Amino acid sequence: MEFRDGMLVLGKFKGEGEILWPAFEDGHHKIALLGKGDKFNKTFEEIERKFLELEGVPYFSIDSTSGRKLEREGTLTNIIAFERDHPANSISNEILSEQRKELVNMYMEMMTSLIGVNRKKLVIGYRPTLEGPLYGHIRSAAQLEGDEKYKFEEQLKGLDNVLWQSDGDLFSYQYGGNTDEEKLLGLLKGVWSFWVFSMITPVEAPRVLHINIPDSSSYSEVQIKYLDRMIELLCVISNMSNMVLILSTNSMSPLKRAPIRYKLLVKKQGIDYDLSKTSLDFDDNGDSFVLIDDVHKQKMVGVLHL
């Protein structure tokens, strides 16, 4: 693979010619990589490497599996400080303002469910000319007692310390957890942290965001809804800025409602999709791939350049 004239050469057609992805052109910013196994991992790693070779293009990765250790560790953004220093009405863009409220609400719903606090008992109110919507929830901790109060406040403190590792233009946040609920909350914190970063840095500057989507096969309907909304709001950020969004997943289901134009399938069989019975010349040894272009309803079969 290589970048040529701003386009990533993904591979060559089974017939003739090259398959190109104009990643930084409007309308082409988003792609999903679907598959599993060594060949899939190598394909993703090669795409990541090619983006990292670009000068002045920071690459952000939110991943549950990388296990990478980079030189430095610190906070990309302090969510609590952003909510304190940027009143609700300081974001004039109505879409972004609604996203901000939605991130707060998703976090509170997921967090209170995780620690066993009945959110309906909390009285919430904030001053939009002085603070962000999170501050109403911060003050609501005063209504709690004992272990509930301690767990609530400890979770909120974690928003001060969403740790990212970095090395040059590479920034990596790794989320984990023993349960689906914990993993999803960890993913949300990474997405929220990046969202805040996008609000306080020039949106014209090119950047790349990779999201590794956790296995959602055991998710509840509510959890799927949270995952859908996280992907959706990042798609909006990508549409409004020069941000390339790369999603990696082993199933199609998290993408059913997401406006992702390109889907690159590196394996013909996945958890919830199967191209093995199609007429596509798509072998199962991992050397070939299918790039689906939803805009033109095309399925382009190619051979990977690895």
Side-chain angles (χ1 to χ4, degrees), residues 160-190:
D160 274 337
N161 202 29
V162 182
L163 293 178
W164 290 70
Q165 298 176 52
S166 64
D167 184 4
D169 281 335
L170 173 60
F171 299 83
S172 175
Y173 167 79
Q174 187 166 342
Y175 64 92
N178 297 318
T179 66
D180 288 343
E181 201 169 23
E182 290 172 336
K183 289 177 185 176
L184 194 60
L185 185 62
L187 173 61
L188 175 62
K189 287 167 71 174

Side-chain angles (χ1 to χ4, degrees), residues 28-71:
H28 299 267
H29 288 327
K30 302 181 286 294
I31 194 170
L33 279 63
L34 292 96
K36 55 186 176 181
D38 290 342
K39 199 70 176 183
F40 173 81
N41 293 335
K42 287 178 182 178
T43 302
F44 165 71
E45 288 167 4
E46 179 68 4
I47 290 174
E48 179 180 75
R49 187 169 71 84
K50 289 305 174 185
F51 274 105
L52 285 170
E53 289 176 357
L54 300 175
E55 290 187 15
V57 181
Y59 185 102
F60 301 85
S61 181
I62 298 176
D63 199 339
S64 64
T65 58
S66 70
R68 66 174 122 214
K69 296 294 180 184
L70 303 180
E71 288 187 0

